[in-house]
Amino acid sequence: MASAAEQLASNLNFAAFAKAEDLKKRIWFTIGALLVYRLGTYIPLPGINPDAFAQAFSSQSKGVLGMFNMFAGGAVQRMAIFALGIMPYISASIIMQLMTSVIPSLETLKKEGEQGRKIINQYTRYGTVLLALIQAYGISIGLEGGNGIVNDPGMFFRISTVVTLVGGTMFLMWLGEQITARGIGNGISLIIFSGIVAGLPRAISGTLELGRTGALSTGLILAIIVLAIIVIALIVFFERAQRRLLIQYPKRQVGNRMFQGDTSHLPLKLNTSGVIPPIFASSLLLLPATVAGFSQATNLPAWASTILASLGHGQPLYMIFYASMIVFFAFFYTAIVFNPKDTADQLKKHSGFIPGYRPGERTAEYIDYVLTRITVIGAIYLVLVCLLPEFLISATGVPFYLGGTSLLIVVSVTLDTVAQIQGHLIAHQYEGLIKKSKLRGGKRSR
């Protein structure tokens, strides 16, 4: 089966795509849904002064708000109805993953299959609403505290802001689920992807404008392009890299026949934690910059100003903390999402074993040993990818739009989307082969 799938994948071409009508409908549906999302990022909240907010946002663009603005496709900068974006859902999903590891009842639900997954997804939606309510109310209070941002402050403005922002987040969550079900899959990831990519044309034109005016040399721009290609190739290699553990199954007898034992592989991703470590690390490190921006009118103590200055972009202390936190969250999140003991128990339940290791505890210890080693490599890879733009900004002063986190998201989602499209094409070709075999069988019977 694997060799047949590989052969079909190698034969994918535009002719096969042209015949896959269902896939084309899915792609058009996905494009239409993403266009709806992009339109929503330009509809401002009612009751605010856009010019006054843009002026206030410009002083906070280097903090957490700047990062959220990039993930939201510029909706935060315009304070649009989708300003919260899909981040409350992402946060609720991460919280639920953590809770399923520490709460026995949720862990039991996780092991119940499809029915348990539906219940956990429902809890995730409730958590999304709660987080969105808290964040939306905080935003309404913050907007009222700005100078001339809100035209008519008061309870009505707060209620309308909360309803609008929470409704926008819930609509995006529903839209992501529709893309997953009726589109090409990965709905939530594609929404984040489209928000990040939407700012690329402006960033590229801005860099070229700096080259035209002489602020950046042509050689430096070419070097940035080459470096970006190398980093993308590195991300593709590491995101697809796996450590495959050999799994064997014993011989079995059915009636009077003895069947040879099967072999398979247990794939362990080199970067099991994905983009979560950079997101957590950058969010925590950008908090001081955000607090400093909000406290400009207040005279901070000398020691606080010194610490905030040392935690700025490109500073050595910032680099050290950023790298350390990425490594910590890489190990922490991997330990949450992958349990070697559960994997070993599943192998033992299906009579599978790793050659040279007894089923059960010894197998779990070996899987944990291998996972720890490859997580070290994955953490180093994440640190290199995330710190490279920081070094570039610090050394050259080039405004690098795609940081390590956003670059990881863009490349990872692109790889997943291509894999989804290939999967649909393979399924379409299999259906074609089955129909042909049925037709041939019908002709022979006649």
Side-chain angles (χ1 to χ4, degrees):
M1 179 65 72
S3 60
E6 291 173 0
Q7 184 178 1
L8 281 173
S10 64
N11 293 331
L12 295 177
N13 49 39
F14 288 105
F17 177 79
K19 296 177 182 178
E21 294 296 331
D22 179 67
L23 176 58
K24 287 193 286 186
K25 291 179 181 178
R26 287 177 175 272
I27 292 176
W28 282 115
F29 178 84
T30 302
I31 293 173
L34 294 179
L35 284 176
V36 171
Y37 160 64
R38 290 303 304 154
L39 287 174
T41 61
Y42 286 90
I43 303 175
L45 279 177
I48 66 170
N49 185 341
D51 295 332
F53 178 78
Q55 185 178 359
F57 178 83
S58 61
S59 63
Q60 307 295 329
S61 59
K62 293 184 180 180
V64 177
L65 293 181
M67 186 184 71
F68 287 164
N69 181 60
M70 181 177 60
F71 288 157
V76 178
Q77 183 178 3
R78 294 182 285 271
M79 193 42 65
I81 59 175
F82 291 159
L84 281 182
I86 204 68
M87 294 308 291
Y89 178 78
I90 301 296
S91 302
S93 300
I94 295 172
I95 292 171
M96 284 304 301
Q97 284 184 336
L98 296 176
M99 292 177 66
T100 52
S101 301
V102 297
I103 299 178
S105 59
L106 291 177
E107 188 175 4
T108 304
L109 275 177
K110 185 180 179 181
K111 295 178 180 179
E112 287 182 359
E114 183 67 19
Q115 187 63 30
R117 188 177 65 84
K118 288 182 179 179
I119 297 175
I120 291 177
N121 287 342
Q122 194 63 29
Y123 289 160
T124 304
R125 295 187 184 98
Y126 295 150
T128 302
V129 174
L130 179 61
L131 290 176
L133 283 170
I134 296 172
Q135 294 177 18
Y137 185 75
I139 288 174
S140 66
I141 297 297
L143 291 174
E144 287 186 341
N147 186 16
I149 296 177
V150 179
N151 297 327
D152 188 15
M155 186 55 66
F156 179 77
F157 170 77
R158 297 178 190 177
I159 293 175
S160 64
T161 299
V162 169
V163 171
T164 303
L165 291 178
V166 173
T169 295
M170 300 310 295
F171 176 79
L172 288 182
M173 185 178 68
W174 174 83
L175 194 65
E177 292 176 350
Q178 295 302 307
I179 294 174
T180 301
R182 302 173 59 186
I184 57 177
N186 298 326
I188 302 298
S189 300
L190 282 174
I191 288 176
I192 299 176
F193 169 86
S194 63
I196 295 174
V197 172
L200 267 179
R202 185 174 59 183
I204 293 173
S205 63
T207 303
L208 295 177
E209 180 64 21
L210 290 175
R212 189 187 66 81
T213 58
L216 294 177
S217 64
T218 304
L220 182 58
I221 294 177
L222 292 176
I224 293 172
I225 294 173
V226 172
L227 184 62
I229 294 173
I230 293 174
V231 173
I232 290 172
L234 183 72
I235 293 174
V236 172
F237 174 78
F238 276 94
E239 289 299 319
R240 302 186 67 172
Q242 294 178 347
R243 173 72 161 87
R244 304 177 71 187
L245 301 182
L246 179 64
I247 305 296
Q248 289 188 348
Y249 296 91
K251 297 179 181 180
R252 66 186 189 279
Q253 185 174 0
V254 179
N256 295 326
R257 298 185 62 182
M258 180 67 72
F259 289 88
Q260 184 68 28
D262 296 329
T263 61
S264 63
H265 292 88
L266 174 65
L268 300 177
K269 285 192 65 177
L270 199 64
N271 180 27
T272 307
S273 57
V275 298
I276 298 301
I279 290 177
F280 278 14
S282 56
S283 299
L284 292 176
L285 277 176
L286 288 174
L287 278 177
T290 306
V291 173
F294 283 122
S295 305
Q296 284 180 351
T298 307
N299 293 325
L300 292 175
W303 61 269
S305 301
T306 303
I307 293 176
L308 290 174
S310 61
L311 288 176
H313 276 289
Q315 298 299 320
L317 189 61
Y318 175 87
M319 302 288 193
I320 293 172
F321 272 108
Y322 194 24
S324 303
M325 294 173 72
I326 288 175
V327 173
F328 169 77
F329 284 119
F331 278 93
F332 177 76
Y333 195 71
T334 300
I336 292 297
V337 299
F338 190 94
N339 191 331
K341 188 177 184 304
D342 289 346
T343 305
D345 291 341
Q346 288 295 322
L347 289 176
K348 186 177 181 180
K349 180 180 178 181
H350 294 89
S351 302
F353 64 94
I354 298 176
Y357 298 91
R358 291 195 307 271
E361 186 176 348
R362 285 287 296 143
T363 299
E365 291 176 357
Y366 175 71
I367 295 175
D368 183 63
Y369 169 73
V370 174
L371 187 65
T372 301
R373 293 177 66 187
I374 64 175
T375 302
V376 171
I377 301 174
I380 294 173
Y381 143 72
L382 287 176
V383 169
L384 290 176
V385 170
C386 293
L387 286 189
L388 192 59
E390 300 294 336
F391 282 119
L392 182 65
I393 294 172
S394 177
T396 63
V398 177
F400 201 63
Y401 174 74
L402 281 182
T405 306
S406 53
L407 197 59
L408 280 169
I409 293 174
V410 168
V411 177
S412 300
V413 174
T414 302
L415 291 174
D416 291 342
T417 304
V418 170
Q420 292 277 353
I421 293 175
Q422 288 183 343
H424 284 294
L425 284 176
I426 291 173
H428 173 74
Q429 290 193 351
Y430 268 126
E431 289 176 1
L433 291 175
I434 291 172
K435 289 180 181 179
K436 287 181 181 179
S437 64
K438 288 182 178 179
L439 288 174
R440 290 173 184 171
K443 290 179 180 179
R444 287 175 184 174
S445 64
R446 291 178 185 176

